[in-house]
Structure formats: C-alpha cells, structure tokens
Amino acid sequence: MDNSNKYNKVFCEAFEISLNQLEGLQYQQIDSWDSIGHMGLITLIEDAFDIMMDMEDIVDFSSYEKGKIILNKYEIRL
Amino acid sequence: MKYKFEGIDIEAITAYLPPNIRETNSLIPIYGEKVIRQTVLGTGIERLHVASDDQTSSDMCYEAAEYLIEKEQIDRIKIDGLVMISQTFDYLGPASSIILQDKLHLSKDTVCFDIIYGCSGYIYGIYQAAIMIASGSCNYVLLLNGETNTRLIDNSEKDQIMVFGDAASATLLSRGKGQLAFHISSDGSRHKSVVNLVNGFRTPIILRKNEIPIKSDGTPVVAINDGMAVFDFIIHEGSDSIRTMLEYMNWGKDEVDFYALHQATKVTLDFMRKRLKLDKKKSPFYLHNYGNTSSTTVPLVITSYVHGEEIDTSKWHKVIMSAYGIGLSWGSIACDLSNTRIYKPINNI
C-alpha cells in the first residue's frame, strides 16, 4: 500500500468516516476528532509509518492537509 | 525544586470508591454508539464511580481514613497532622480537614490543612506531610485526597463526562527511616488551560452572574479544560519530571520497580510510556474501572493494581510516582514502598 492510501486508511479508521470526507477535514470539525480522538489518530499514524512525532507537530496537526505537510518532515512522501 | 527528605515512611495507603457506577456505554443514547466506542478506545475508561448527591469529597475521605485507621490499628491520639487535598471541598470555609479532625475523633492538637490541587495533588500532599514530619512538629500525618469531579461536568461536556470520576484516598506517613525525594514545578502562565471558574472570587457566581461564560445550551461554563494544551503539557512536563527524578536519584529507568503515573487517559499514558521507553508492566494503565479521579489517581493505581494483579510489593524498593495537573503544576516522588501496607480500594468491583 502506498503512503497516500495508508494515510487515508488511518484517517478513515480513526474517525470511522469515508474517503470522500477527508478533503478539508479539520480538528474538531467532526465529533470524533476531539482531543482524545486526536491522540488516537496520532498513535495510529506513528504505528503505520513507524515514526515518533515531536510534540510540536502533534499539536500542530490541525487538519488532513496539514498532516501531510507535517509527515513530509519525517520523510513520509504523500 | 528538588529535595530529599530523610527519616519519613509511607506507612499505608488505601482508596475509597463511591458505590454508584456509571457505565460509559450507558451514555450511548446521548452521544451515539460510534462516539462512545471511539472515546473508550482512546480513554480506556469503561466505567466511573460517581458520588451520590449527598456525598462530598470529605465524606469519601472520611470513609478511606476510617478504613485505614482500623486496618492499621493506630491509636488516633498519635495522628497529629491532617492534610486534605481537593478541588471540591465542602465549603469555601471552614477547612474540610478541620471538620474531619472532629469526625475522625482526632486530637484537638492536630495540625490541619486544606490544599487546593487537582491531578498533581498527591505529590503536593506527600510533600506537605513530609514537611510537617521533617520539621519535628508531627509524628503521624494522615493525607486525604478526594474529588467529586462529576459535580463539575454535565452532558454538554462530552470529552470530560466519560473521563472524570469520583474517588478518595488515605495515606499514612510517619517519622521513620525512609527517604522521600521530590521534584516539584509550577507554571502559572498556563493557568487558563484548566480552570474551575465558579465558586471562587474572580467570578463569584452569585455576585457576578453576567460575567460567567454561557454555553450554546444556555448553561454556564463552570470549568475550562483545553484538551490539547493539557496533553501537550502532560507529555512534555510529565516526561521531563520523570527524567529529572531518575537523574536526581541516579536510577536507570529499568531499575525502577514501579511507576505510579497519573492516569489522565490511556492514550496519554501510552504516549508518555512510548517516549520514555517504559516497560508497560511497570507503568500500568489501571483506571479502566474508575477514570481520571484527579489527585487520587496515583494512590488508586497503586492500590487497585496491587490487588487486581496480586502483586508482591515487598521488592518495590525503587518507586516513582508522578502527576501533573491544574495550575499548571507537576512533580514526581522517588520512594521505597517495600514496607508500605497497601489496602484494596473500598467498593472496588
């Protein structure tokens, strides 16, 4: 599975949403992406890409699109 | 601040849980099955104990204290210090600890303190008790931690109603031979991350009702808890405090026999364990039946884990306790619990 599909799959699994809901998705836009859901998302992303993110990046991870930019720092090309 | 006290023992620890239980799944009709499922996955909290309407933090502390006194067979006249830590005291005044002095039939010579702290309160409470003993003025200090968190939260606060539960604990400290090492920090510049707004005098609800922020459903905001800011704080400062304590004690992280860490949520603890590379068996998440009970999480995780997993604590020579919360305030303790009597929490299911 390529990185983009892996990234999308993590989002869909974390928040139980479909692919067509991902574009433009932001923190706290849906019920499941609250602070607890956010930590769950980050855990899944770290496991999926075998990375450990800096706290600043975890807090800055405020949208689906912003997440892609942040993962780029960890050499995860999406 | 870092400091090592000599000649102080943690004699015994217990906890009290109110008998009423609220299953997280019982909230499905309000929030839906999906939200509940995802929340439980992140928090790890399946149920909470909830104080009855007429039960206060001091009532629960009383139950824990009576149980500990009975188990320890200690002569009440020997207890000359009483410290209660809470954010939900009976009154703004008098101090709940003074009311408890009478209720517990302790001597009128007992020195009593109420101290307002939240999740970091167990660390501060032990510190206060240690000061009282180290000063030479007290021989036996009873530390009581209690919280009725559920009174501060309503159904509109989804993030919190499934996380915060009610509980109390009692810990007896005495003049002895042990060492207690502390690392304690405070940062008031971040006090707005977690605030209990009402019942203080900055915005007294009776006199300045119009200044209390209102939620979309028209009810007043009684507390603010910025989840992301708190998460950031716990992972940064909590992890640093544990590292600081290990360095101060010159202990390797794997040498430690047990880490009793504040349990905000399972995912928060998972993050901390991962970043510190801690053995999960030595730093368990064990509050799935109780939730985040503020300053009682540390004694509750010790007492419930020891009895739930039938742990032999006679080898717990190197223990680190660590907690972080409102203030913001945080700290850690390094101690030896190998001779401490650890009693099963009352009403533990």
Side-chain angles (χ1 to χ4, degrees), chain A residues 14-16 27 31-32 34 36 38-39 42-43 46 52-53 55-56 58, chain B residues 34 37-38 42-43 158-159 227-228 231-232 235-236 267-268 271 274-275:
Chain A
F15 302 134
E16 297 187 35
Y27 175 60
D31 274 352
S32 45
D34 56 11
I36 293 165
H38 186 73
M39 297 171 217
I42 300 297
T43 302
E46 287 190 338
M52 198 184 296
M53 293 167 64
M55 274 311 300
E56 289 71 21
I58 293 171
Chain B
K34 181 176 154 185
R37 185 172 57 247
Q38 289 181 331
T43 61
K158 173 178 70 67
D159 293 5
M228 282 304 289
F231 174 64
D232 182 25
I235 305 301
H236 263 126
V267 75
T268 314
F271 263 90
K274 189 174 175 184
R275 274 146 182 81

PDB file of all heavy atoms in Angstrom, chain A residues 14-16 27 31-32 34 36 38-39 42-43 46 52-53 55-56 58, chain B residues 34 37-38 42-43 158-159 227-228 231-232 235-236 267-268 271 274-275:
ATOM      1  N   ALA A  14      -9.576   5.795  12.092  1.00  0.00           N
ATOM      2  CA  ALA A  14      -9.556   6.531  13.368  1.00  0.00           C
ATOM      3  C   ALA A  14     -10.901   7.188  13.648  1.00  0.00           C
ATOM      4  O   ALA A  14     -11.373   7.184  14.782  1.00  0.00           O
ATOM      5  CB  ALA A  14      -8.446   7.576  13.343  1.00  0.00           C
ATOM      6  N   PHE A  15     -11.496   7.744  12.607  1.00  0.00           N
ATOM      7  CA  PHE A  15     -12.724   8.519  12.834  1.00  0.00           C
ATOM      8  C   PHE A  15     -13.983   7.847  12.277  1.00  0.00           C
ATOM      9  O   PHE A  15     -15.071   8.430  12.330  1.00  0.00           O
ATOM     10  CB  PHE A  15     -12.568   9.927  12.225  1.00  0.00           C
ATOM     11  CG  PHE A  15     -11.402  10.693  12.793  1.00  0.00           C
ATOM     12  CD1 PHE A  15     -10.527  11.387  11.955  1.00  0.00           C
ATOM     13  CD2 PHE A  15     -11.163  10.708  14.161  1.00  0.00           C
ATOM     14  CE1 PHE A  15      -9.448  12.094  12.489  1.00  0.00           C
ATOM     15  CE2 PHE A  15     -10.087  11.408  14.688  1.00  0.00           C
ATOM     16  CZ  PHE A  15      -9.229  12.093  13.850  1.00  0.00           C
ATOM     17  N   GLU A  16     -13.807   6.649  11.735  1.00  0.00           N
ATOM     18  CA  GLU A  16     -14.929   5.907  11.139  1.00  0.00           C
ATOM     19  C   GLU A  16     -15.678   6.782  10.138  1.00  0.00           C
ATOM     20  O   GLU A  16     -16.881   7.005  10.239  1.00  0.00           O
ATOM     21  CB  GLU A  16     -15.867   5.387  12.239  1.00  0.00           C
ATOM     22  CG  GLU A  16     -15.182   4.384  13.168  1.00  0.00           C
ATOM     23  CD  GLU A  16     -16.143   3.747  14.158  1.00  0.00           C
ATOM     24  OE1 GLU A  16     -17.300   3.523  13.781  1.00  0.00           O
ATOM     25  OE2 GLU A  16     -15.717   3.479  15.288  1.00  0.00           O
ATOM     26  N   TYR A  27      -9.471  19.544  12.647  1.00  0.00           N
ATOM     27  CA  TYR A  27      -9.612  19.197  14.069  1.00  0.00           C
ATOM     28  C   TYR A  27     -10.897  19.818  14.624  1.00  0.00           C
ATOM     29  O   TYR A  27     -11.177  20.986  14.384  1.00  0.00           O
ATOM     30  CB  TYR A  27      -8.388  19.725  14.822  1.00  0.00           C
ATOM     31  CG  TYR A  27      -8.427  19.556  16.331  1.00  0.00           C
ATOM     32  CD1 TYR A  27      -8.534  18.301  16.915  1.00  0.00           C
ATOM     33  CD2 TYR A  27      -8.341  20.674  17.167  1.00  0.00           C
ATOM     34  CE1 TYR A  27      -8.562  18.153  18.302  1.00  0.00           C
ATOM     35  CE2 TYR A  27      -8.363  20.532  18.554  1.00  0.00           C
ATOM     36  CZ  TYR A  27      -8.474  19.274  19.106  1.00  0.00           C
ATOM     37  OH  TYR A  27      -8.511  19.122  20.476  1.00  0.00           O
ATOM     38  N   ASP A  31     -17.418  15.142  15.438  1.00  0.00           N
ATOM     39  CA  ASP A  31     -17.452  14.743  16.848  1.00  0.00           C
ATOM     40  C   ASP A  31     -16.244  13.897  17.248  1.00  0.00           C
ATOM     41  O   ASP A  31     -15.680  14.058  18.322  1.00  0.00           O
ATOM     42  CB  ASP A  31     -18.721  13.921  17.140  1.00  0.00           C
ATOM     43  CG  ASP A  31     -19.890  14.830  17.465  1.00  0.00           C
ATOM     44  OD1 ASP A  31     -19.660  16.044  17.614  1.00  0.00           O
ATOM     45  OD2 ASP A  31     -21.026  14.327  17.543  1.00  0.00           O
ATOM     46  N   SER A  32     -15.873  12.981  16.353  1.00  0.00           N
ATOM     47  CA  SER A  32     -14.829  12.030  16.739  1.00  0.00           C
ATOM     48  C   SER A  32     -13.417  12.619  16.736  1.00  0.00           C
ATOM     49  O   SER A  32     -12.516  12.048  17.348  1.00  0.00           O
ATOM     50  CB  SER A  32     -14.890  10.791  15.833  1.00  0.00           C
ATOM     51  OG  SER A  32     -15.030  11.173  14.499  1.00  0.00           O
ATOM     52  N   ASP A  34     -11.943  14.978  18.416  1.00  0.00           N
ATOM     53  CA  ASP A  34     -11.750  15.846  19.573  1.00  0.00           C
ATOM     54  C   ASP A  34     -10.338  15.573  20.101  1.00  0.00           C
ATOM     55  O   ASP A  34      -9.544  14.897  19.428  1.00  0.00           O
ATOM     56  CB  ASP A  34     -12.832  15.594  20.630  1.00  0.00           C
ATOM     57  CG  ASP A  34     -12.885  14.132  21.068  1.00  0.00           C
ATOM     58  OD1 ASP A  34     -11.969  13.351  20.722  1.00  0.00           O
ATOM     59  OD2 ASP A  34     -13.840  13.765  21.767  1.00  0.00           O
ATOM     60  N   ILE A  36      -9.248  13.670  22.438  1.00  0.00           N
ATOM     61  CA  ILE A  36      -8.958  12.242  22.655  1.00  0.00           C
ATOM     62  C   ILE A  36      -8.824  11.532  21.305  1.00  0.00           C
ATOM     63  O   ILE A  36      -7.907  10.741  21.093  1.00  0.00           O
ATOM     64  CB  ILE A  36     -10.063  11.603  23.520  1.00  0.00           C
ATOM     65  CG1 ILE A  36     -10.006  12.205  24.929  1.00  0.00           C
ATOM     66  CG2 ILE A  36      -9.908  10.083  23.576  1.00  0.00           C
ATOM     67  CD1 ILE A  36     -11.228  11.938  25.767  1.00  0.00           C
ATOM     68  N   HIS A  38      -7.870  12.856  18.629  1.00  0.00           N
ATOM     69  CA  HIS A  38      -6.622  13.326  18.033  1.00  0.00           C
ATOM     70  C   HIS A  38      -5.440  12.458  18.467  1.00  0.00           C
ATOM     71  O   HIS A  38      -4.609  12.062  17.653  1.00  0.00           O
ATOM     72  CB  HIS A  38      -6.382  14.779  18.424  1.00  0.00           C
ATOM     73  CG  HIS A  38      -5.206  15.407  17.762  1.00  0.00           C
ATOM     74  ND1 HIS A  38      -5.205  15.755  16.430  1.00  0.00           N
ATOM     75  CD2 HIS A  38      -3.976  15.728  18.233  1.00  0.00           C
ATOM     76  CE1 HIS A  38      -4.024  16.272  16.110  1.00  0.00           C
ATOM     77  NE2 HIS A  38      -3.270  16.267  17.196  1.00  0.00           N
ATOM     78  N   MET A  39      -5.412  12.160  19.759  1.00  0.00           N
ATOM     79  CA  MET A  39      -4.308  11.328  20.268  1.00  0.00           C
ATOM     80  C   MET A  39      -4.376   9.922  19.668  1.00  0.00           C
ATOM     81  O   MET A  39      -3.354   9.325  19.357  1.00  0.00           O
ATOM     82  CB  MET A  39      -4.373  11.249  21.794  1.00  0.00           C
ATOM     83  CG  MET A  39      -4.186  12.593  22.450  1.00  0.00           C
ATOM     84  SD  MET A  39      -4.543  12.472  24.207  1.00  0.00           S
ATOM     85  CE  MET A  39      -5.330  14.038  24.504  1.00  0.00           C
ATOM     86  N   ILE A  42      -3.004  10.154  16.128  1.00  0.00           N
ATOM     87  CA  ILE A  42      -1.539  10.251  16.101  1.00  0.00           C
ATOM     88  C   ILE A  42      -0.898   8.884  16.408  1.00  0.00           C
ATOM     89  O   ILE A  42       0.091   8.491  15.777  1.00  0.00           O
ATOM     90  CB  ILE A  42      -1.028  11.323  17.101  1.00  0.00           C
ATOM     91  CG1 ILE A  42      -1.600  12.702  16.756  1.00  0.00           C
ATOM     92  CG2 ILE A  42       0.502  11.357  17.150  1.00  0.00           C
ATOM     93  CD1 ILE A  42      -1.192  13.270  15.410  1.00  0.00           C
ATOM     94  N   THR A  43      -1.495   8.177  17.357  1.00  0.00           N
ATOM     95  CA  THR A  43      -0.970   6.837  17.680  1.00  0.00           C
ATOM     96  C   THR A  43      -1.000   5.952  16.445  1.00  0.00           C
ATOM     97  O   THR A  43      -0.025   5.250  16.134  1.00  0.00           O
ATOM     98  CB  THR A  43      -1.832   6.187  18.793  1.00  0.00           C
ATOM     99  OG1 THR A  43      -1.802   7.041  19.927  1.00  0.00           O
ATOM    100  CG2 THR A  43      -1.289   4.821  19.192  1.00  0.00           C
ATOM    101  N   GLU A  46       1.646   7.126  13.899  1.00  0.00           N
ATOM    102  CA  GLU A  46       3.003   6.748  14.318  1.00  0.00           C
ATOM    103  C   GLU A  46       3.241   5.246  14.072  1.00  0.00           C
ATOM    104  O   GLU A  46       4.316   4.857  13.628  1.00  0.00           O
ATOM    105  CB  GLU A  46       3.205   7.076  15.800  1.00  0.00           C
ATOM    106  CG  GLU A  46       3.353   8.559  16.070  1.00  0.00           C
ATOM    107  CD  GLU A  46       3.790   8.869  17.496  1.00  0.00           C
ATOM    108  OE1 GLU A  46       3.593   8.021  18.384  1.00  0.00           O
ATOM    109  OE2 GLU A  46       4.323   9.965  17.709  1.00  0.00           O
ATOM    110  N   MET A  52       8.128   8.556  15.391  1.00  0.00           N
ATOM    111  CA  MET A  52       7.711   9.162  16.647  1.00  0.00           C
ATOM    112  C   MET A  52       7.728  10.674  16.447  1.00  0.00           C
ATOM    113  O   MET A  52       8.776  11.265  16.222  1.00  0.00           O
ATOM    114  CB  MET A  52       8.634   8.754  17.801  1.00  0.00           C
ATOM    115  CG  MET A  52       7.985   9.014  19.150  1.00  0.00           C
ATOM    116  SD  MET A  52       9.036   8.661  20.555  1.00  0.00           S
ATOM    117  CE  MET A  52       9.282   6.912  20.398  1.00  0.00           C
ATOM    118  N   MET A  53       6.550  11.263  16.488  1.00  0.00           N
ATOM    119  CA  MET A  53       6.440  12.688  16.155  1.00  0.00           C
ATOM    120  C   MET A  53       6.787  13.577  17.344  1.00  0.00           C
ATOM    121  O   MET A  53       6.553  13.220  18.496  1.00  0.00           O
ATOM    122  CB  MET A  53       5.011  12.993  15.674  1.00  0.00           C
ATOM    123  CG  MET A  53       4.693  12.335  14.341  1.00  0.00           C
ATOM    124  SD  MET A  53       2.939  12.354  13.929  1.00  0.00           S
ATOM    125  CE  MET A  53       2.642  14.087  13.771  1.00  0.00           C
ATOM    126  N   MET A  55       6.250  16.698  19.859  1.00  0.00           N
ATOM    127  CA  MET A  55       5.010  17.223  20.437  1.00  0.00           C
ATOM    128  C   MET A  55       4.494  18.435  19.672  1.00  0.00           C
ATOM    129  O   MET A  55       3.295  18.607  19.486  1.00  0.00           O
ATOM    130  CB  MET A  55       5.232  17.602  21.903  1.00  0.00           C
ATOM    131  CG  MET A  55       5.061  16.467  22.876  1.00  0.00           C
ATOM    132  SD  MET A  55       3.536  15.516  22.661  1.00  0.00           S
ATOM    133  CE  MET A  55       2.300  16.772  22.902  1.00  0.00           C
ATOM    134  N   GLU A  56       5.412  19.292  19.214  1.00  0.00           N
ATOM    135  CA  GLU A  56       5.001  20.496  18.476  1.00  0.00           C
ATOM    136  C   GLU A  56       4.223  20.095  17.221  1.00  0.00           C
ATOM    137  O   GLU A  56       3.241  20.726  16.857  1.00  0.00           O
ATOM    138  CB  GLU A  56       6.233  21.329  18.071  1.00  0.00           C
ATOM    139  CG  GLU A  56       6.942  22.033  19.227  1.00  0.00           C
ATOM    140  CD  GLU A  56       7.688  21.077  20.151  1.00  0.00           C
ATOM    141  OE1 GLU A  56       8.006  19.938  19.739  1.00  0.00           O
ATOM    142  OE2 GLU A  56       7.919  21.460  21.306  1.00  0.00           O
ATOM    143  N   ILE A  58       2.571  17.259  16.815  1.00  0.00           N
ATOM    144  CA  ILE A  58       1.305  16.628  17.216  1.00  0.00           C
ATOM    145  C   ILE A  58       0.250  17.699  17.473  1.00  0.00           C
ATOM    146  O   ILE A  58      -0.899  17.597  17.044  1.00  0.00           O
ATOM    147  CB  ILE A  58       1.513  15.753  18.483  1.00  0.00           C
ATOM    148  CG1 ILE A  58       2.414  14.556  18.153  1.00  0.00           C
ATOM    149  CG2 ILE A  58       0.178  15.274  19.046  1.00  0.00           C
ATOM    150  CD1 ILE A  58       2.865  13.739  19.354  1.00  0.00           C
TER     151      ILE A  58
ATOM    152  N   LYS B  34     -21.099   5.165  18.060  1.00  0.00           N
ATOM    153  CA  LYS B  34     -19.790   5.403  17.433  1.00  0.00           C
ATOM    154  C   LYS B  34     -18.901   6.285  18.314  1.00  0.00           C
ATOM    155  O   LYS B  34     -17.723   5.976  18.534  1.00  0.00           O
ATOM    156  CB  LYS B  34     -20.018   6.068  16.074  1.00  0.00           C
ATOM    157  CG  LYS B  34     -18.770   6.361  15.288  1.00  0.00           C
ATOM    158  CD  LYS B  34     -19.144   6.933  13.935  1.00  0.00           C
ATOM    159  CE  LYS B  34     -18.056   7.791  13.368  1.00  0.00           C
ATOM    160  NZ  LYS B  34     -18.441   8.441  12.117  1.00  0.00           N
ATOM    161  N   ARG B  37     -17.779   4.333  21.368  1.00  0.00           N
ATOM    162  CA  ARG B  37     -16.779   3.317  21.028  1.00  0.00           C
ATOM    163  C   ARG B  37     -15.401   3.961  20.845  1.00  0.00           C
ATOM    164  O   ARG B  37     -14.400   3.494  21.372  1.00  0.00           O
ATOM    165  CB  ARG B  37     -17.219   2.579  19.759  1.00  0.00           C
ATOM    166  CG  ARG B  37     -16.326   1.419  19.373  1.00  0.00           C
ATOM    167  CD  ARG B  37     -16.896   0.608  18.231  1.00  0.00           C
ATOM    168  NE  ARG B  37     -17.163   1.380  17.037  1.00  0.00           N
ATOM    169  CZ  ARG B  37     -18.382   1.623  16.554  1.00  0.00           C
ATOM    170  NH1 ARG B  37     -19.448   1.154  17.173  1.00  0.00           N
ATOM    171  NH2 ARG B  37     -18.541   2.344  15.459  1.00  0.00           N
ATOM    172  N   GLN B  38     -15.380   5.080  20.105  1.00  0.00           N
ATOM    173  CA  GLN B  38     -14.098   5.740  19.832  1.00  0.00           C
ATOM    174  C   GLN B  38     -13.512   6.367  21.091  1.00  0.00           C
ATOM    175  O   GLN B  38     -12.298   6.359  21.291  1.00  0.00           O
ATOM    176  CB  GLN B  38     -14.290   6.804  18.756  1.00  0.00           C
ATOM    177  CG  GLN B  38     -14.548   6.181  17.398  1.00  0.00           C
ATOM    178  CD  GLN B  38     -14.711   7.218  16.322  1.00  0.00           C
ATOM    179  OE1 GLN B  38     -15.156   8.331  16.589  1.00  0.00           O
ATOM    180  NE2 GLN B  38     -14.387   6.865  15.110  1.00  0.00           N
ATOM    181  N   GLY B  42      -9.865   5.501  23.076  1.00  0.00           N
ATOM    182  CA  GLY B  42      -8.821   6.476  23.411  1.00  0.00           C
ATOM    183  C   GLY B  42      -8.588   6.619  24.902  1.00  0.00           C
ATOM    184  O   GLY B  42      -7.459   6.721  25.357  1.00  0.00           O
ATOM    185  N   THR B  43      -9.671   6.628  25.657  1.00  0.00           N
ATOM    186  CA  THR B  43      -9.511   6.867  27.105  1.00  0.00           C
ATOM    187  C   THR B  43      -9.191   5.582  27.847  1.00  0.00           C
ATOM    188  O   THR B  43      -8.536   5.622  28.893  1.00  0.00           O
ATOM    189  CB  THR B  43     -10.800   7.439  27.720  1.00  0.00           C
ATOM    190  OG1 THR B  43     -11.861   6.487  27.545  1.00  0.00           O
ATOM    191  CG2 THR B  43     -11.175   8.761  27.071  1.00  0.00           C
ATOM    192  N   LYS B 158     -18.832  16.402  26.483  1.00  0.00           N
ATOM    193  CA  LYS B 158     -18.621  15.013  26.061  1.00  0.00           C
ATOM    194  C   LYS B 158     -17.219  14.514  26.393  1.00  0.00           C
ATOM    195  O   LYS B 158     -17.065  13.386  26.870  1.00  0.00           O
ATOM    196  CB  LYS B 158     -18.865  14.925  24.538  1.00  0.00           C
ATOM    197  CG  LYS B 158     -18.531  13.595  23.908  1.00  0.00           C
ATOM    198  CD  LYS B 158     -18.865  13.611  22.440  1.00  0.00           C
ATOM    199  CE  LYS B 158     -17.956  14.480  21.604  1.00  0.00           C
ATOM    200  NZ  LYS B 158     -16.555  14.022  21.503  1.00  0.00           N
ATOM    201  N   ASP B 159     -16.209  15.357  26.154  1.00  0.00           N
ATOM    202  CA  ASP B 159     -14.821  14.940  26.370  1.00  0.00           C
ATOM    203  C   ASP B 159     -14.565  14.575  27.828  1.00  0.00           C
ATOM    204  O   ASP B 159     -13.694  13.786  28.129  1.00  0.00           O
ATOM    205  CB  ASP B 159     -13.845  16.086  26.038  1.00  0.00           C
ATOM    206  CG  ASP B 159     -13.832  16.412  24.573  1.00  0.00           C
ATOM    207  OD1 ASP B 159     -14.643  15.823  23.845  1.00  0.00           O
ATOM    208  OD2 ASP B 159     -13.030  17.263  24.172  1.00  0.00           O
ATOM    209  N   GLY B 227      -8.131  20.388  26.140  1.00  0.00           N
ATOM    210  CA  GLY B 227      -7.578  19.039  25.991  1.00  0.00           C
ATOM    211  C   GLY B 227      -6.215  18.992  25.338  1.00  0.00           C
ATOM    212  O   GLY B 227      -5.302  18.322  25.832  1.00  0.00           O
ATOM    213  N   MET B 228      -6.041  19.735  24.236  1.00  0.00           N
ATOM    214  CA  MET B 228      -4.769  19.678  23.514  1.00  0.00           C
ATOM    215  C   MET B 228      -3.639  20.317  24.321  1.00  0.00           C
ATOM    216  O   MET B 228      -2.512  19.817  24.350  1.00  0.00           O
ATOM    217  CB  MET B 228      -4.895  20.361  22.153  1.00  0.00           C
ATOM    218  CG  MET B 228      -5.586  19.504  21.116  1.00  0.00           C
ATOM    219  SD  MET B 228      -4.787  17.903  20.893  1.00  0.00           S
ATOM    220  CE  MET B 228      -3.302  18.437  20.058  1.00  0.00           C
ATOM    221  N   PHE B 231      -2.735  17.931  27.064  1.00  0.00           N
ATOM    222  CA  PHE B 231      -1.999  16.794  26.503  1.00  0.00           C
ATOM    223  C   PHE B 231      -0.534  17.169  26.266  1.00  0.00           C
ATOM    224  O   PHE B 231       0.396  16.450  26.677  1.00  0.00           O
ATOM    225  CB  PHE B 231      -2.684  16.367  25.199  1.00  0.00           C
ATOM    226  CG  PHE B 231      -1.959  15.305  24.451  1.00  0.00           C
ATOM    227  CD1 PHE B 231      -1.793  14.048  24.991  1.00  0.00           C
ATOM    228  CD2 PHE B 231      -1.456  15.555  23.185  1.00  0.00           C
ATOM    229  CE1 PHE B 231      -1.128  13.055  24.296  1.00  0.00           C
ATOM    230  CE2 PHE B 231      -0.793  14.573  22.472  1.00  0.00           C
ATOM    231  CZ  PHE B 231      -0.624  13.321  23.032  1.00  0.00           C
ATOM    232  N   ASP B 232      -0.350  18.321  25.645  1.00  0.00           N
ATOM    233  CA  ASP B 232       0.990  18.834  25.363  1.00  0.00           C
ATOM    234  C   ASP B 232       1.774  18.983  26.679  1.00  0.00           C
ATOM    235  O   ASP B 232       2.930  18.547  26.798  1.00  0.00           O
ATOM    236  CB  ASP B 232       0.850  20.188  24.655  1.00  0.00           C
ATOM    237  CG  ASP B 232       2.187  20.778  24.269  1.00  0.00           C
ATOM    238  OD1 ASP B 232       3.148  20.012  24.093  1.00  0.00           O
ATOM    239  OD2 ASP B 232       2.277  22.014  24.139  1.00  0.00           O
ATOM    240  N   ILE B 235       2.673  15.472  28.355  1.00  0.00           N
ATOM    241  CA  ILE B 235       3.744  14.729  27.680  1.00  0.00           C
ATOM    242  C   ILE B 235       5.095  15.422  27.871  1.00  0.00           C
ATOM    243  O   ILE B 235       6.103  14.769  28.163  1.00  0.00           O
ATOM    244  CB  ILE B 235       3.434  14.551  26.166  1.00  0.00           C
ATOM    245  CG1 ILE B 235       2.074  13.881  25.958  1.00  0.00           C
ATOM    246  CG2 ILE B 235       4.544  13.755  25.477  1.00  0.00           C
ATOM    247  CD1 ILE B 235       1.923  12.517  26.584  1.00  0.00           C
ATOM    248  N   HIS B 236       5.089  16.766  27.740  1.00  0.00           N
ATOM    249  CA  HIS B 236       6.357  17.494  27.908  1.00  0.00           C
ATOM    250  C   HIS B 236       6.845  17.469  29.349  1.00  0.00           C
ATOM    251  O   HIS B 236       7.898  16.914  29.662  1.00  0.00           O
ATOM    252  CB  HIS B 236       6.159  18.977  27.515  1.00  0.00           C
ATOM    253  CG  HIS B 236       6.571  19.268  26.125  1.00  0.00           C
ATOM    254  ND1 HIS B 236       5.749  19.876  25.216  1.00  0.00           N
ATOM    255  CD2 HIS B 236       7.732  19.041  25.468  1.00  0.00           C
ATOM    256  CE1 HIS B 236       6.365  20.013  24.069  1.00  0.00           C
ATOM    257  NE2 HIS B 236       7.571  19.516  24.192  1.00  0.00           N
ATOM    258  N   VAL B 267      -4.563   6.837  26.352  1.00  0.00           N
ATOM    259  CA  VAL B 267      -3.732   7.259  25.223  1.00  0.00           C
ATOM    260  C   VAL B 267      -2.640   8.235  25.679  1.00  0.00           C
ATOM    261  O   VAL B 267      -1.517   8.215  25.167  1.00  0.00           O
ATOM    262  CB  VAL B 267      -4.619   7.832  24.086  1.00  0.00           C
ATOM    263  CG1 VAL B 267      -5.134   9.210  24.388  1.00  0.00           C
ATOM    264  CG2 VAL B 267      -3.886   7.811  22.760  1.00  0.00           C
ATOM    265  N   THR B 268      -2.938   9.057  26.687  1.00  0.00           N
ATOM    266  CA  THR B 268      -1.923   9.972  27.218  1.00  0.00           C
ATOM    267  C   THR B 268      -0.794   9.176  27.866  1.00  0.00           C
ATOM    268  O   THR B 268       0.393   9.452  27.652  1.00  0.00           O
ATOM    269  CB  THR B 268      -2.540  10.919  28.278  1.00  0.00           C
ATOM    270  OG1 THR B 268      -3.758  11.425  27.778  1.00  0.00           O
ATOM    271  CG2 THR B 268      -1.611  12.051  28.621  1.00  0.00           C
ATOM    272  N   PHE B 271       1.363   7.515  25.258  1.00  0.00           N
ATOM    273  CA  PHE B 271       2.320   8.450  24.658  1.00  0.00           C
ATOM    274  C   PHE B 271       3.532   8.630  25.563  1.00  0.00           C
ATOM    275  O   PHE B 271       4.671   8.614  25.104  1.00  0.00           O
ATOM    276  CB  PHE B 271       1.656   9.816  24.423  1.00  0.00           C
ATOM    277  CG  PHE B 271       1.164   9.989  23.030  1.00  0.00           C
ATOM    278  CD1 PHE B 271      -0.121   9.613  22.685  1.00  0.00           C
ATOM    279  CD2 PHE B 271       1.982  10.512  22.049  1.00  0.00           C
ATOM    280  CE1 PHE B 271      -0.582   9.752  21.397  1.00  0.00           C
ATOM    281  CE2 PHE B 271       1.528  10.655  20.757  1.00  0.00           C
ATOM    282  CZ  PHE B 271       0.245  10.279  20.422  1.00  0.00           C
ATOM    283  N   LYS B 274       5.703   5.500  25.719  1.00  0.00           N
ATOM    284  CA  LYS B 274       6.422   5.304  24.459  1.00  0.00           C
ATOM    285  C   LYS B 274       7.633   6.234  24.391  1.00  0.00           C
ATOM    286  O   LYS B 274       8.726   5.816  24.002  1.00  0.00           O
ATOM    287  CB  LYS B 274       5.474   5.590  23.297  1.00  0.00           C
ATOM    288  CG  LYS B 274       6.001   5.234  21.935  1.00  0.00           C
ATOM    289  CD  LYS B 274       4.899   5.429  20.901  1.00  0.00           C
ATOM    290  CE  LYS B 274       5.391   5.201  19.491  1.00  0.00           C
ATOM    291  NZ  LYS B 274       4.342   5.488  18.494  1.00  0.00           N
ATOM    292  N   ARG B 275       7.430   7.501  24.783  1.00  0.00           N
ATOM    293  CA  ARG B 275       8.522   8.463  24.687  1.00  0.00           C
ATOM    294  C   ARG B 275       9.621   8.214  25.730  1.00  0.00           C
ATOM    295  O   ARG B 275      10.780   8.486  25.491  1.00  0.00           O
ATOM    296  CB  ARG B 275       7.974   9.890  24.775  1.00  0.00           C
ATOM    297  CG  ARG B 275       7.555  10.366  23.388  1.00  0.00           C
ATOM    298  CD  ARG B 275       6.381  11.256  23.337  1.00  0.00           C
ATOM    299  NE  ARG B 275       6.078  11.573  21.921  1.00  0.00           N
ATOM    300  CZ  ARG B 275       5.402  10.767  21.099  1.00  0.00           C
ATOM    301  NH1 ARG B 275       4.964   9.588  21.533  1.00  0.00           N
ATOM    302  NH2 ARG B 275       5.163  11.117  19.844  1.00  0.00           N
TER     303      ARG B 275
END
